[in-house]
Amino acid sequence: MQMTSQDIDAVCGLVLDLCGVYLDETKAYLIESRLGTLAKREGCSSYVALTQRARVTGDLKLKQDIVDAITTQETLFFRDNSPFEALRNKALPELFDAKEKTPFPRRIRIWSAACSTGQEPYSIAMTLIDLIPDIERWDIQILATDISDAAIAKASRGVYAEHEVARGATASHLDRYFVREQQNWRISDRVRSLVAFRRYNLHDSFHSLGQFDVVFCRNVAIYFTPEARQRLFFRIADAMAAHSYLFVGASESLMNYGERFQPQHHCRSVFYQPNSDRTMSVGVRK
Ligand SMILES: C[S@@+](CC[C@H](N)C(=O)[O-])C[C@H]1O[C@@H](n2cnc3c(N)ncnc32)[C@H](O)[C@@H]1O
C-alpha cells in the first residue's frame, strides 16, 4: 500500500501518542514494512484509515498490535558486554559496600526499563548469581518492563531458540543457567525467579514502581524526541536510591544533562550515578 504524506502524518502522530516513539517521513519504508500487514488484516484501504480506527474505536488490541509492530525489539544476551562487566566488577561491589551501612544490606532492587524479550534482565540475573553464591538468602528483585505485550509475553516464557542464545550466551551460561527444551533453551528457575515482568509505558508515572539501586535503560530513549529523552532520564533519576547506578546504551550519553548524572568509568564502559540533589532536575517537565 503506497503511503501519502497524510498517511505518514497520521501514523507518526498516533505512534508518538501511543508510545512516544518519534517517526517522520524518513521512516516511511519502516512504517510500510511494519504496519502493512496489519492494515491489510484490518481491511483498511489506507494508513489514515488504520490510525482512525485505532483512535476512534479505542480498540485496545489494535493499539497494542500497532505498538508491537512499530517498536524495535532488537536485543541480545549481555549486549555490548562491557556494561555487564562494569556491573559485576564495579557497580555491584560498590553497592554491596554502601548497603552494609543500611538496615537492609541484602535488599537490592534493579529495573530493566524497556527489557524487550528478556535477554537484558536475564543477563543481569546471571551476573548477580555469578557474584553472589548464597543469592537465595538475599532479597533481590529485577523488575523488567516494556511497552510491547508480545515482547513481555516472550520474556516471561523465557524460552529461546538456538540462534537467540548464540547471540551473547556462552557455553558456560548455557550449562549453568539454561535447560534444554527440545530445539530450544529455557531459562533456569533460579534465574527466572529473580525477574518480575510487567508491561509498562516509560511515559507513564513511575510512582508505583518503587526505588531502584540499579537501572538499565538502554537503547530505547534513542527513539524518543530529545526533550522526551531528557525528561525520561531525569524521571528515572528521581526513582533511584541515594547510592545507585544507571546504565544507558552504547550510543547514548547523559553528559549534556549537567550535574544530575555523575559519569563513572570502568574499562570501556561509562555508566552514571544520579546526584542525590533533586533540585538539579528543576526545569525538567515531569
Ligand atoms: C531496542 S529494544 C532495547 C532492549 C534492551 N534494553 C537492549 O538494550 O537490548 C527497545 C525496546 O523499547 C521498548 N519501548 C519503546 N517505547 C517504549 C515505551 N514508551 N515504554 C516502554 N518501552 C518502550 C520496545 O518495545 C523495545 O522492546
Side-chain angles (χ1 to χ4, degrees), residues 18-21 67 71-76 79 112-117 120 145-148 151 200-203 216-220 223-224:
L18 291 180
C19 58
V21 168
V67 168
T71 46
T72 300
Q73 267 123 42
E74 162 65 11
T75 189
L76 59 150
R79 184 172 191 172
S112 167
C115 65
S116 185
T117 43
E120 180 177 278
T145 62
D146 198 281
I147 198 169
S148 163
Y200 213 85
N201 184 347
L202 285 173
H203 298 289
F216 273 56
C217 183
R218 307 187 65 222
N219 306 303
V220 60
Y223 299 105
F224 302 160

Side-chain angles (χ1 to χ4, degrees), residues 1 34-47 50 53 62:
M1 199 188 308
R34 294 191 179 175
L35 295 186
T37 316
L38 199 55
K40 263 191 215 127
R41 184 194 82 186
E42 293 294 313
C44 294
S45 56
S46 71
Y47 292 96
L50 180 71
R53 177 164 306 175
L62 178 57

Side-chain angles (χ1 to χ4, degrees), residues 131-261:
L131 203 60
I132 310 174
D134 61 343
I135 197 156
E136 281 76 14
R137 296 175 57 201
W138 287 56
D139 173 11
I140 294 183
Q141 195 185 81
I142 302 165
L143 175 67
T145 62
D146 198 281
I147 198 169
S148 163
D149 266 349
I152 288 292
K154 178 172 168 68
S156 298
R157 275 197 304 279
V159 176
Y160 297 94
E162 194 74 55
H163 71 271
E164 291 173 312
V165 294
R167 299 185 70 210
T170 61
S172 164
H173 292 133
L174 290 179
D175 202 35
R176 289 176 297 146
Y177 300 131
F178 291 79
V179 180
R180 242 310 179 202
E181 205 171 75
Q182 290 143 14
Q183 303 303 307
N184 299 321
W185 293 91
R186 184 166 52 77
I187 292 288
S188 72
D189 292 346
R190 196 169 185 223
V191 175
R192 179 68 186 80
S193 67
L194 292 176
V195 188
F197 289 99
R198 186 167 160 192
R199 182 186 177 276
Y200 213 85
N201 184 347
L202 285 173
H203 298 289
D204 289 345
S205 159
F206 299 157
H207 281 128
S208 65
L209 299 183
Q211 270 218 321
F212 299 97
D213 302 300
V214 177
V215 175
F216 273 56
C217 183
R218 307 187 65 222
N219 306 303
V220 60
I222 43 170
Y223 299 105
F224 302 160
T225 62
E227 298 74 29
R229 199 179 302 154
Q230 172 166 356
R231 208 157 51 236
L232 171 66
F233 285 121
F234 278 94
R235 289 169 59 238
I236 288 177
D238 289 346
M240 296 182 71
H243 187 112
S244 54
Y245 299 87
L246 172 59
F247 289 81
V248 299
S251 65
E252 298 163 323
S253 168
L254 307 186
M255 297 298 197
N256 290 335
Y257 298 160
E259 291 173 18
R260 185 75 164 101
F261 299 96

